[in-house]
Amino acid sequence: MTPRPESSGSRPKGTAGEKIPEQPTAAQQKSAAKKTAVPKQAAAKKTAPAKATAKKAAAGKTTVAKTVAGMAATKKAPAKKTPAGQPSSEKAAVVKKTAVKKTAVKKTAAKKTAAKTAVKKTAAEKATAVRATAARNTATKTAAADVTAAGSPAAGATAKKTAAKKATAKKAAATKATAKKATAKKVPPAKAPAKKTAAVKNTASKVPAETLPKKSAARKAPAPEAPADRAAAAQVVPPEMEVAVSPAVAAADRERLLGGTHHDPHSVLGAHPVPGGVAFRAFRPYALGVTVVAGELRAELHDDGEGFFSGLLPLREVPAYRLIVEYEGTVLETEDAYRFLPTLGDLDLHLIGEGRHEELWTALGAHPMTHQGVTGTRFAVWAPNARGVRVAGTFNFWDGTGHVMRSLGSSGVWELFLPDIGEGELYKFEITRPDGSKTLRADPLARRTEVPPATSSVITSSRYEWGDADWVARRADVPAHEAPFSVYEIHLPSWRPGLTYRQLAEQLPGYVKNLGFTHVELMPVAEHPFGGSWGYQVTGFYAPTARLGTPDDFRYLVDKLHQAGIGVLMDWVPAHFPRDAWALAEFDGRPLYEHEDPLRAAHPDWGTLEFDFGRNEVRNFLVANAVYWCEEFHIDGLRVDAVASMLYLDYSREAGQWTPNEHGGRENLDAVAFLQEMNATVYRRVPGVVTIAEESTAWDGVTRATHHKGPSGFGGLGFGLKWNMGWMHDSLQYMSHEPVHRKYHHGEMTFSMVYAYSENYVLPISHDEVVHGKGSLVSKMPGDWWQQRAGVRSYLGFMWAHPGKQLLFMGQEFAQGAEWSEAHGPDWWLLDPGYGAEPDHRGVRDLVRDLNTVYRATPALWRLDTDPAGFEWIVGDAADDNVLAFLRLDPEGVPVLAVSNFAPVTRPDYRLGVPDDVPAWHEAVNTDAARYGGSDVTNPDPVKPEPVAWHGRPASIRLTLPPLATVWLRPA
């Protein structure tokens, strides 16, 4: 473990709970050293055999480890009541009689008492720092000696030297007393000496010798009366000799830890090499006791109160250790969370700060892992304005007091590795705001959440094994805009209410494949607290909603769709987020994910907050999120919601409610840069995916490459496709008119071809068009029930033939009459054979199946969707007839003729100009066929061209146009 600097508030020397006197100044120390020089020299002359010991006792020119001759315990017998610091003698002294030994000890004690009395008198008069220092130093040494249990081999040697030391002890004691008295007169008063307090209670029977200093003092057994004072008289260490420190947490650190505002708890808690040994500090609120266990060593830490425990062990280096924590009714053995190095490296922090960490979800959030050989969970969160961050969860009974996170430099990232914490635990971050108040927040990068309305994050990791390798390998073979692309839009929670992800995986792929769709588009899957938002007010951007199962369950659904040959698109909402107090809003007490300017932060339409796209870390959060869904869940495309609200500073704002950009314009330059980066990153990292913009304005270059600048001076936004909101609005408006009035609105069906090739378009009949009083698709059609169904069939036939890709919302494929509600989903009972009108609904669904089947098999309908060469008008101005006819062509020039009659009348022998190189045409689709519920007006036989010029073409054909129907004809 890398040594850490001691706490800034650590006290110099002493034991836990001890009151430490003030330290002498440098000048005082120098004066004391001079005053002790004379007696020190005298002692050296008189005790030449013990020269080193005398020098240490008088002047302190060597270390504390050498001051006490032989600190180790003995295996043979415990040491006698011998004052520390006695000189060594020859081996012959060992064989002296016991009576003689006792007499020498008594004489020595008498001399010590005299010296002690002199020192006490001087201290009482002057309150000297020397006396305080000596008492405290001796107390510490005595406590340290307790750790070195009896039985240490070193004690035997010490016992042999004891007798020899007696000869010089008499003179040395008097010299020491004289030196102390002289020094005391010159040193300014200091605080009163503290009482002896043991720093560590040794509960082991034996301490491994290799963990202790080579020279250790034998265990002292002082007389019951005033043992600390006696030790002080025997061992005097000048102020400059003090090296040991108090292991207790300093008052300032203690206050910050208790208040949750400490930015670096690892520098205080845990084990730290300090002068005098290794300081162990633990912060365990509600614990009754804490014991350090390192091999055979078991040392109970001193209870410092308020959940703090500390101890100073005379070890040379930090050992591998564990903690035994005793609570009321239970004992827990665990690793110390504050002994671990950071789990995030400099590269991660640099990339986060630069806004370039493309795998941000691997750095932030909660991750089960093995760190330094220990299993646990790494927590990391970005909260740069926080004064402190703690982790609270089920593992600490939602009290984060003892789990303080550390701040990693200037990155704004807070991190903590908690051992023995694993998957399934709930957690949140307790953040102390700049004003000192606290807030409990869900993890912005949580990869799993509780089921709403619960809001906690859940520790998780994926073990899913994918089975869609073939799909992923070939999805990049053809670009989306040059491939068949027919989308079934689904709201998963209500498609068939009550089904989980895994249950949906058993039903949805088969249903979609049967209807012939190439893709499904899932309305937002990311976690959201309010079901009525349909997922468009996201709080858990990295977590699939827990309403339907776990993240791996969602992976299973995607996998099954891929194995059925169906691509998976997902609605993604980077434009805004809700104001929930437990989520992203003012996450660390100040605007963080949202813009700091309230005018730009508040979304006027939805009561939400807009992201600050100009901030590196926020942009990184969103870009990485897009990559996350594509890489971690194999999503094939992202449909980006509300792009227009991101691009314009004045979106839904009146004059005075917005601030122009640096050029004086209304474009949100930060949002433009973000969208460009997001698209470029996704396409670079995940080949074969497609991004789709829901953009409702005429912004130039939505699907243009980011490095190609347009007339506006901007590079393209880089999307693959764009929803054609104009076509949707105009065509539905046309179909809502009574047929007799449609001739006055004919341009609403033809205008889309004016701009059809300005972008790569998708033609959407989405959820937005069948809710909030707009009615379902069939209910938008005028006339009686037959005409309404016929209108839907003709409209779908026109839509599938029009340049662009197709999207249809669930329920519209079988002409559901009621508009959609997330509470109960589609009206599946309409397809029950026992229902009288079931054939009407089943007929529309059969038509959708056939449209998709013919569409996918006919390259002319999709290969040149974005190329004007793939479309030719036959007749676009037959407003009085309510007729539209055009050709679709593939790259080889093979045509498909599409004719729509939006009048409720049959038009026999309707002449249309056609190319003269097609010998005959036959019907591929007729929406009026009886099997679809139509009147069965068809052209059953091949139709041959006549050499009659019509509509500017050299040949023409005569068709019978069924009422309210679309007919597709292909070369026979």
Side-chain angles (χ1 to χ4, degrees), residues 218-277:
R219 173 170 295 205
K220 301 182 181 69
E225 61 275 13
D229 291 342
R230 179 187 298 180
Q235 299 183 17
V236 179
V237 181
E240 65 268 21
M241 284 297 297
E242 295 180 330
V243 292
V245 301
S246 167
V249 176
D253 288 320
R254 188 182 183 117
E255 180 181 357
R256 292 166 62 199
L257 287 168
L258 286 169
T261 59
H262 207 296
H263 74 285
D264 192 11
H266 292 70
S267 68
V268 178
L269 304 176
H272 301 272
V274 297

Side-chain angles (χ1 to χ4, degrees), residues 411-422:
S411 65
V413 175
W414 300 76
E415 179 266 355
L416 180 64
F417 175 76
L418 290 183
D420 306 322
I421 303 300

